[in-house]
Amino acid sequence: MEEELEALSVQRRRAGNAAVVVAVLAAALTGACMVGSEAAAGERRGALAGTVWEAMQQGGTAAEALASVGLAEAAPDQVPDWFVQEVAALQDGWAVRATEAWDVVDIACSSGTATLRAGIEEQLTARGWVQCPTGADGQDTYMKDEGGCTWMMVAYSETSGAADAVLRILRA
């Protein structure tokens, strides 16, 4: 009986130690993704903003300015199947722009940030995404174990009641 209790105690310690190792690795991976993305995003943000601003100053439309940095409007029939299966199906009222690879997707709507955020969160949760807190207002990070997409950051903003979400998607 004592040998069985000792064996159970050893198994519990090993399981506990393994759980701690997995938690630490997951936290480190999440932190590394966030830090790497934040630094790279800061550099890209400045370059993209400058390019868009310059195109607008030269009399171009917003669509032309965004196209100059690789974001083109997408009709519902242009959305890749993998995006609908792994991220979200487009909703009525969403205006979508995306890069050719769909690794950066801009979703705009007039319903406000709370409504847009709730719609996106509902679809991501239904597809197996788990939200990882970033500690930053207006930004959410998501991870999942299965599928072709494993990490995503979503940044929300609102101007004059119109909401905007930019998704940065990591695909395998």
Side-chain angles (χ1 to χ4, degrees):
M1 181 73 163
E2 284 183 37
E3 290 178 17
E4 291 174 352
L5 289 175
E6 180 63 30
L8 280 174
S9 178
V10 168
Q11 288 177 341
R12 286 184 186 149
R13 276 195 308 270
R14 286 182 181 162
N17 290 341
V20 168
V21 168
V22 169
V24 168
L25 288 173
L29 176 62
T30 301
C33 288
M34 288 170 45
V35 168
S37 296
E38 183 97 13
E43 290 175 19
R44 284 192 304 269
R45 193 176 314 128
L48 291 176
T51 303
V52 170
W53 178 251
E54 197 173 292
M56 295 292 286
Q57 281 186 318
Q58 294 176 359
T61 65
E64 291 169 339
L66 292 169
S68 73
V69 294
L71 286 171
E73 288 189 50
D77 63 341
Q78 295 173 310
V79 178
D81 290 339
W82 70 262
F83 185 86
V84 173
Q85 292 167 358
E86 295 209 41
V87 180
L90 299 189
Q91 303 297 301
D92 288 335
W94 285 8
V96 177
R97 291 184 174 85
T99 58
E100 187 175 335
W102 282 74
D103 58 344
V104 177
V105 179
D106 175 64
I107 301 172
C109 72
S110 60
S111 62
T113 303
T115 303
L116 179 59
R117 187 178 220 154
I120 291 173
E121 286 177 356
E122 179 180 324
Q123 291 204 46
L124 294 177
T125 301
R127 288 164 174 78
W129 290 91
V130 176
Q131 187 176 8
C132 304
T134 63
D137 287 338
Q139 291 184 358
D140 295 327
T141 303
Y142 294 88
M143 295 179 79
K144 71 176 185 165
D145 293 328
E146 296 178 4
C149 302
T150 56
W151 180 87
M152 179 185 332
M153 178 175 274
V154 184
Y156 298 93
S157 63
E158 186 169 332
T159 305
S160 301
D164 190 69
V166 177
L167 288 66
R168 173 64 175 106
I169 305 163
L170 180 64
R171 291 187 65 205

